[in-house]
Amino acid sequence: MILLYIIFSVYILAINFYAVMLLKSQRDEYGEDNKISGDGKLILAAILGGALAIYVSMFIMRYRLKNLLFMILMPVIAVLNIYFFYLAFRSGFTFIVL
């Protein structure tokens, strides 16, 4: 059971690290140009568990703060992520059938 907690914790850390690196690579690639793409990758990374990291790094890097979709969607997804992570840890992963 402890191994499952460790694997899930490493997953959370890895997806958050990936989300920050994805946002940083987008910022470096596109800079201040209006040509911005890759929103799907960011939203997918957020849904998989990196929404809080994306939201915080948006403010740290001062990148895409004028994008209303991300400024509303990321906190909502982050709250859902935190809630589901809390449920998973609290239930002891009993929803997983081994």
Side-chain angles (χ1 to χ4, degrees):
M1 189 60 146
I2 293 177
L3 181 63
L4 199 56
Y5 283 116
I6 292 171
I7 291 172
F8 195 66
S9 299
V10 168
Y11 167 77
I12 292 170
L13 291 173
I15 196 69
N16 281 297
F17 180 75
Y18 173 74
V20 170
M21 290 296 115
L22 183 63
L23 189 72
K24 184 181 180 313
S25 70
Q26 265 195 4
R27 183 194 62 162
D28 293 343
E29 183 177 343
Y30 298 113
E32 295 297 324
D33 296 342
N34 291 332
K35 180 186 167 190
I36 294 176
S37 65
D39 291 348
K41 290 180 185 178
L42 281 175
I43 292 173
L44 181 63
I47 290 172
L48 291 175
L52 188 61
I54 291 173
Y55 191 65
V56 169
S57 61
M58 281 172 56
F59 284 103
I60 291 173
M61 296 180 201
R62 293 186 179 144
Y63 180 65
R64 304 201 56 169
L65 294 176
K66 294 180 182 175
N67 191 338
L68 190 62
L69 174 71
F70 282 119
M71 294 305 290
I72 293 173
L73 190 63
M74 289 303 149
V76 170
I77 295 174
V79 168
L80 290 174
N81 284 340
I82 292 169
Y83 178 68
F84 288 134
F85 293 155
Y86 170 76
L87 284 179
F89 278 107
R90 174 138 176 149
S91 70
F93 300 101
T94 56
F95 54 89
I96 297 175
V97 178
L98 297 177

